[in-house]
């Protein structure tokens, strides 16, 4: 996991990149919902509350912004699990 925080003029850019399971497009629409855990997340770890991204989005919203997601769509496989580089980022003024 790479975490980067950059102070650029009057803004702060926060970015988290992780090599982690690929998130299907239909799950990307729900991944910021409270208690939502995608199928891959449940396979990788039986623990987890599905609160991390929901909390991050709540904090971002409190600062008049949103957490955004992108991925590189790579197709590295470990068994049947597809992995890629997921990127979550936001900017605060």
């Amino acid at each position: 996991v790479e975490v980067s925080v950059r102070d650029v003029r009057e803004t702060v850019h926060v970015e988290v990149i992780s090599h982690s399971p690929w998130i299907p497009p239909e799950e990307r629409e729900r991944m910021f919902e409270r208690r939502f855990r995608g199928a891959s997340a449940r396979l990788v770890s039986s623990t987890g509350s599905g609160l991390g991204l929901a909390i991050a989005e709540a904090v971002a919203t409190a600062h008049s912004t949103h957490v955004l997601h992108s991925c590189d769509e790579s197709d590295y496989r470990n068994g049947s699990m597809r992995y890629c580089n997921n990127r979550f980022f936001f900017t605060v003024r």
Side-chain angles (χ1 to χ4, degrees):
V1 175
E2 292 179 42
V3 177
S4 135
V5 179
R6 293 178 295 140
D7 185 2
V8 180
R9 295 192 181 107
E10 295 180 13
T11 63
V12 175
H13 300 277
V14 178
E15 177 180 65
V16 177
I17 300 173
S18 71
H19 187 73
S20 51
W22 179 76
I23 304 166
E26 62 275 9
E27 290 183 1
R28 293 175 195 177
E29 297 171 7
R30 299 191 58 210
M31 69 182 164
F32 295 104
E33 290 178 16
R34 189 172 189 200
R35 301 266 184 225
F36 177 76
R37 293 188 75 218
S40 296
R42 290 189 304 272
L43 288 173
V44 170
S45 176
S46 61
T47 62
S49 60
L51 293 176
L53 289 174
I55 292 169
E57 178 61 11
V59 170
T61 301
H63 291 279
S64 302
T65 191
H66 294 283
V67 177
L68 302 174
H69 169 262
S70 67
C71 66
D72 63 8
E73 297 296 339
S74 60
D75 193 4
Y76 168 76
R77 301 273 176 168
N78 185 356
S80 63
M81 183 74 64
R82 179 179 176 180
Y83 284 80
C84 68
N85 292 309
N86 284 295
R87 177 178 173 245
F88 296 90
F89 57 100
F90 62 93
T91 300
V92 178
R93 293 193 176 275

CSV table of all heavy atoms in Angstrom, one decimal, residues 38-77:
chain,number,residue,atom,x,y,z
A,38,GLY,N,-17.5,-6.2,-1.0
A,38,GLY,CA,-17.6,-6.9,-2.3
A,38,GLY,C,-17.3,-8.4,-2.2
A,38,GLY,O,-16.8,-8.8,-1.2
A,39,ALA,N,-17.6,-9.1,-3.2
A,39,ALA,CA,-17.4,-10.6,-3.3
A,39,ALA,C,-15.9,-10.9,-3.1
A,39,ALA,O,-15.6,-11.8,-2.3
A,39,ALA,CB,-17.9,-11.2,-4.6
A,40,SER,N,-15.0,-10.1,-3.7
A,40,SER,CA,-13.6,-10.4,-3.6
A,40,SER,C,-13.1,-10.1,-2.1
A,40,SER,O,-12.3,-10.9,-1.6
A,40,SER,CB,-12.8,-9.6,-4.5
A,40,SER,OG,-13.1,-9.9,-5.9
A,41,ALA,N,-13.6,-9.1,-1.5
A,41,ALA,CA,-13.2,-8.7,-0.2
A,41,ALA,C,-13.6,-9.9,0.8
A,41,ALA,O,-12.9,-10.2,1.7
A,41,ALA,CB,-13.9,-7.4,0.3
A,42,ARG,N,-14.8,-10.4,0.6
A,42,ARG,CA,-15.2,-11.5,1.4
A,42,ARG,C,-14.4,-12.8,1.2
A,42,ARG,O,-14.2,-13.5,2.2
A,42,ARG,CB,-16.7,-11.8,1.2
A,42,ARG,CG,-17.6,-10.7,1.7
A,42,ARG,CD,-19.1,-11.0,1.7
A,42,ARG,NE,-19.6,-11.5,0.4
A,42,ARG,CZ,-20.0,-10.6,-0.6
A,42,ARG,NH1,-20.1,-9.4,-0.4
A,42,ARG,NH2,-20.5,-11.1,-1.7
A,43,LEU,N,-13.9,-13.0,0.0
A,43,LEU,CA,-13.1,-14.2,-0.2
A,43,LEU,C,-11.7,-14.0,0.3
A,43,LEU,O,-11.1,-15.0,0.8
A,43,LEU,CB,-13.0,-14.4,-1.7
A,43,LEU,CG,-14.2,-15.0,-2.4
A,43,LEU,CD1,-14.0,-15.0,-3.9
A,43,LEU,CD2,-14.6,-16.3,-1.9
A,44,VAL,N,-11.1,-12.8,0.3
A,44,VAL,CA,-9.8,-12.5,0.7
A,44,VAL,C,-9.7,-12.6,2.3
A,44,VAL,O,-8.7,-13.0,2.8
A,44,VAL,CB,-9.2,-11.2,0.2
A,44,VAL,CG1,-8.0,-10.8,0.9
A,44,VAL,CG2,-9.1,-11.3,-1.3
A,45,SER,N,-10.8,-12.0,2.9
A,45,SER,CA,-10.8,-12.0,4.4
A,45,SER,C,-12.2,-12.1,4.9
A,45,SER,O,-13.1,-11.4,4.5
A,45,SER,CB,-10.2,-10.6,4.8
A,45,SER,OG,-10.3,-10.5,6.3
A,46,SER,N,-12.3,-13.0,5.8
A,46,SER,CA,-13.7,-13.2,6.4
A,46,SER,C,-14.0,-12.1,7.4
A,46,SER,O,-15.1,-12.0,7.8
A,46,SER,CB,-13.7,-14.6,7.1
A,46,SER,OG,-12.8,-14.7,8.1
A,47,THR,N,-13.0,-11.4,7.9
A,47,THR,CA,-13.2,-10.3,8.8
A,47,THR,C,-13.4,-9.0,8.0
A,47,THR,O,-13.0,-9.0,6.8
A,47,THR,CB,-12.1,-10.2,9.8
A,47,THR,OG1,-10.9,-9.9,9.1
A,47,THR,CG2,-11.9,-11.4,10.6
A,48,GLY,N,-13.8,-8.0,8.7
A,48,GLY,CA,-14.0,-6.7,8.0
A,48,GLY,C,-15.4,-6.3,8.2
A,48,GLY,O,-16.3,-7.1,8.2
A,49,SER,N,-15.6,-5.0,8.3
A,49,SER,CA,-16.9,-4.5,8.6
A,49,SER,C,-17.6,-3.7,7.5
A,49,SER,O,-18.8,-3.4,7.5
A,49,SER,CB,-16.8,-3.5,9.8
A,49,SER,OG,-16.0,-2.4,9.5
A,50,GLY,N,-16.8,-3.4,6.4
A,50,GLY,CA,-17.4,-2.7,5.3
A,50,GLY,C,-17.6,-1.2,5.7
A,50,GLY,O,-18.5,-0.6,5.1
A,51,LEU,N,-16.8,-0.7,6.6
A,51,LEU,CA,-17.0,0.7,7.1
A,51,LEU,C,-15.9,1.6,6.6
A,51,LEU,O,-16.1,2.8,6.5
A,51,LEU,CB,-17.0,0.8,8.6
A,51,LEU,CG,-18.2,0.1,9.3
A,51,LEU,CD1,-18.1,0.2,10.8
A,51,LEU,CD2,-19.5,0.8,8.8
A,52,GLY,N,-14.7,1.1,6.2
A,52,GLY,CA,-13.6,1.9,5.9
A,52,GLY,C,-13.8,2.9,4.8
A,52,GLY,O,-13.6,4.1,5.0
A,53,LEU,N,-14.3,2.5,3.6
A,53,LEU,CA,-14.6,3.5,2.6
A,53,LEU,C,-15.8,4.4,2.9
A,53,LEU,O,-15.8,5.5,2.5
A,53,LEU,CB,-14.8,2.7,1.2
A,53,LEU,CG,-13.5,2.1,0.6
A,53,LEU,CD1,-13.9,1.3,-0.6
A,53,LEU,CD2,-12.5,3.2,0.3
A,54,ALA,N,-16.8,3.8,3.6
A,54,ALA,CA,-17.9,4.7,4.0
A,54,ALA,C,-17.5,5.8,4.9
A,54,ALA,O,-17.9,6.9,4.8
A,54,ALA,CB,-19.0,3.8,4.7
A,55,ILE,N,-16.6,5.5,5.9
A,55,ILE,CA,-16.0,6.5,6.8
A,55,ILE,C,-15.2,7.5,6.0
A,55,ILE,O,-15.3,8.8,6.2
A,55,ILE,CB,-15.2,5.9,7.9
A,55,ILE,CG1,-16.2,5.1,8.8
A,55,ILE,CG2,-14.4,7.0,8.7
A,55,ILE,CD1,-15.5,4.3,9.9
A,56,ALA,N,-14.3,7.1,5.1
A,56,ALA,CA,-13.5,8.0,4.3
A,56,ALA,C,-14.4,8.9,3.5
A,56,ALA,O,-14.1,10.1,3.4
A,56,ALA,CB,-12.6,7.2,3.3
A,57,GLU,N,-15.5,8.4,2.9
A,57,GLU,CA,-16.4,9.2,2.1
A,57,GLU,C,-17.1,10.2,3.0
A,57,GLU,O,-17.3,11.4,2.6
A,57,GLU,CB,-17.4,8.4,1.3
A,57,GLU,CG,-18.4,9.1,0.5
A,57,GLU,CD,-17.8,10.0,-0.6
A,57,GLU,OE1,-16.6,10.0,-0.9
A,57,GLU,OE2,-18.6,10.8,-1.1
A,58,ALA,N,-17.5,9.8,4.2
A,58,ALA,CA,-18.2,10.7,5.1
A,58,ALA,C,-17.2,11.9,5.5
A,58,ALA,O,-17.7,13.0,5.6
A,58,ALA,CB,-18.6,10.0,6.4
A,59,VAL,N,-16.0,11.6,5.8
A,59,VAL,CA,-15.0,12.6,6.1
A,59,VAL,C,-14.8,13.5,4.9
A,59,VAL,O,-14.8,14.8,5.0
A,59,VAL,CB,-13.7,12.0,6.6
A,59,VAL,CG1,-12.6,13.1,6.7
A,59,VAL,CG2,-13.8,11.3,7.9
A,60,ALA,N,-14.7,13.0,3.7
A,60,ALA,CA,-14.5,13.8,2.5
A,60,ALA,C,-15.7,14.7,2.3
A,60,ALA,O,-15.6,15.9,2.0
A,60,ALA,CB,-14.3,12.9,1.3
A,61,THR,N,-16.9,14.1,2.4
A,61,THR,CA,-18.1,14.9,2.2
A,61,THR,C,-18.2,16.1,3.2
A,61,THR,O,-18.6,17.2,2.9
A,61,THR,CB,-19.4,14.0,2.4
A,61,THR,OG1,-19.3,13.0,1.4
A,61,THR,CG2,-20.6,14.8,2.1
A,62,ALA,N,-17.7,15.8,4.4
A,62,ALA,CA,-17.7,16.9,5.5
A,62,ALA,C,-16.8,18.0,5.0
A,62,ALA,O,-17.0,19.2,5.5
A,62,ALA,CB,-17.3,16.3,6.8
A,63,HIS,N,-15.9,17.8,4.1
A,63,HIS,CA,-15.0,18.8,3.6
A,63,HIS,C,-15.3,19.2,2.2
A,63,HIS,O,-14.4,19.6,1.5
A,63,HIS,CB,-13.5,18.3,3.7
A,63,HIS,CG,-13.0,18.1,5.1
A,63,HIS,ND1,-12.5,19.2,5.8
A,63,HIS,CD2,-13.0,17.1,6.0
A,63,HIS,CE1,-12.2,18.8,7.0
A,63,HIS,NE2,-12.5,17.5,7.2
A,64,SER,N,-16.5,18.9,1.8
A,64,SER,CA,-17.1,19.3,0.5
A,64,SER,C,-16.3,18.7,-0.7
A,64,SER,O,-16.1,19.3,-1.7
A,64,SER,CB,-17.1,20.9,0.4
A,64,SER,OG,-17.8,21.4,1.4
A,65,THR,N,-16.0,17.4,-0.5
A,65,THR,CA,-15.4,16.7,-1.6
A,65,THR,C,-15.8,15.3,-1.6
A,65,THR,O,-16.7,14.9,-0.8
A,65,THR,CB,-13.8,16.8,-1.6
A,65,THR,OG1,-13.3,16.3,-2.8
A,65,THR,CG2,-13.2,16.1,-0.4
A,66,HIS,N,-15.3,14.4,-2.4
A,66,HIS,CA,-15.6,13.0,-2.5
A,66,HIS,C,-14.4,12.2,-2.7
A,66,HIS,O,-13.4,12.6,-3.3
A,66,HIS,CB,-16.6,12.7,-3.6
A,66,HIS,CG,-17.9,13.3,-3.5
A,66,HIS,ND1,-18.9,12.8,-2.6
A,66,HIS,CD2,-18.5,14.4,-4.0
A,66,HIS,CE1,-19.9,13.6,-2.7
A,66,HIS,NE2,-19.7,14.6,-3.5
A,67,VAL,N,-14.4,10.9,-2.2
A,67,VAL,CA,-13.3,10.0,-2.5
A,67,VAL,C,-13.6,9.4,-3.9
A,67,VAL,O,-14.7,9.0,-4.2
A,67,VAL,CB,-13.3,8.9,-1.5
A,67,VAL,CG1,-12.2,7.9,-1.8
A,67,VAL,CG2,-13.1,9.4,-0.1
A,68,LEU,N,-12.6,9.4,-4.7
A,68,LEU,CA,-12.7,8.9,-6.1
A,68,LEU,C,-11.9,7.6,-6.2
A,68,LEU,O,-10.9,7.4,-5.4
A,68,LEU,CB,-12.2,9.9,-7.1
A,68,LEU,CG,-12.9,11.3,-7.1
A,68,LEU,CD1,-12.3,12.2,-8.0
A,68,LEU,CD2,-14.4,11.1,-7.4
A,69,HIS,N,-12.3,6.8,-7.2
A,69,HIS,CA,-11.6,5.5,-7.4
A,69,HIS,C,-11.2,5.3,-8.8
A,69,HIS,O,-12.0,5.7,-9.7
A,69,HIS,CB,-12.5,4.3,-7.0
A,69,HIS,CG,-12.0,3.0,-7.4
A,69,HIS,ND1,-12.4,2.4,-8.5
A,69,HIS,CD2,-11.1,2.2,-6.8
A,69,HIS,CE1,-11.8,1.2,-8.7
A,69,HIS,NE2,-10.9,1.1,-7.6
A,70,SER,N,-10.1,4.8,-9.1
A,70,SER,CA,-9.7,4.3,-10.4
A,70,SER,C,-8.8,3.1,-10.2
A,70,SER,O,-8.3,2.8,-9.1
A,70,SER,CB,-8.9,5.4,-11.1
A,70,SER,OG,-7.6,5.6,-10.6
A,71,CYS,N,-8.7,2.3,-11.3
A,71,CYS,CA,-7.8,1.2,-11.3
A,71,CYS,C,-7.2,1.0,-12.6
A,71,CYS,O,-7.7,1.5,-13.6
A,71,CYS,CB,-8.6,-0.1,-10.8
A,71,CYS,SG,-9.8,-0.7,-12.0
A,72,ASP,N,-6.1,0.3,-12.7
A,72,ASP,CA,-5.3,0.1,-13.9
A,72,ASP,C,-5.9,-1.0,-14.8
A,72,ASP,O,-5.4,-1.2,-15.9
A,72,ASP,CB,-3.8,0.0,-13.7
A,72,ASP,CG,-3.5,-1.3,-12.9
A,72,ASP,OD1,-4.4,-2.1,-12.6
A,72,ASP,OD2,-2.3,-1.4,-12.5
A,73,GLU,N,-6.9,-1.7,-14.3
A,73,GLU,CA,-7.5,-2.8,-15.1
A,73,GLU,C,-6.6,-3.9,-15.5
A,73,GLU,O,-6.8,-4.7,-16.4
A,73,GLU,CB,-8.2,-2.3,-16.4
A,73,GLU,CG,-9.4,-1.3,-16.1
A,73,GLU,CD,-10.6,-1.9,-15.4
A,73,GLU,OE1,-10.7,-3.2,-15.4
A,73,GLU,OE2,-11.3,-1.2,-14.7
A,74,SER,N,-5.4,-4.0,-14.8
A,74,SER,CA,-4.5,-5.1,-15.1
A,74,SER,C,-5.2,-6.4,-14.7
A,74,SER,O,-6.2,-6.5,-14.0
A,74,SER,CB,-3.2,-5.0,-14.3
A,74,SER,OG,-3.4,-4.9,-12.9
A,75,ASP,N,-4.6,-7.5,-15.1
A,75,ASP,CA,-5.3,-8.8,-14.9
A,75,ASP,C,-4.3,-9.8,-14.4
A,75,ASP,O,-4.1,-10.9,-15.0
A,75,ASP,CB,-5.9,-9.3,-16.3
A,75,ASP,CG,-6.8,-10.5,-16.1
A,75,ASP,OD1,-7.1,-10.9,-14.9
A,75,ASP,OD2,-7.3,-11.0,-17.1
A,76,TYR,N,-3.7,-9.5,-13.3
A,76,TYR,CA,-2.8,-10.4,-12.6
A,76,TYR,C,-3.7,-11.4,-11.8
A,76,TYR,O,-4.6,-11.0,-11.1
A,76,TYR,CB,-1.8,-9.6,-11.6
A,76,TYR,CG,-1.1,-10.6,-10.7
A,76,TYR,CD1,0.0,-11.3,-11.1
A,76,TYR,CD2,-1.5,-10.7,-9.4
A,76,TYR,CE1,0.6,-12.2,-10.3
A,76,TYR,CE2,-0.9,-11.5,-8.5
A,76,TYR,CZ,0.2,-12.3,-9.0
A,76,TYR,OH,0.9,-13.1,-8.1
A,77,ARG,N,-3.4,-12.7,-11.9
A,77,ARG,CA,-4.2,-13.7,-11.3
A,77,ARG,C,-3.4,-14.4,-10.2
A,77,ARG,O,-2.3,-14.8,-10.4
A,77,ARG,CB,-4.7,-14.7,-12.3
A,77,ARG,CG,-5.6,-14.1,-13.4
A,77,ARG,CD,-7.0,-14.0,-13.0
A,77,ARG,NE,-7.8,-13.4,-14.0
A,77,ARG,CZ,-9.1,-13.4,-14.1
A,77,ARG,NH1,-9.8,-14.0,-13.1
A,77,ARG,NH2,-9.7,-12.8,-15.0
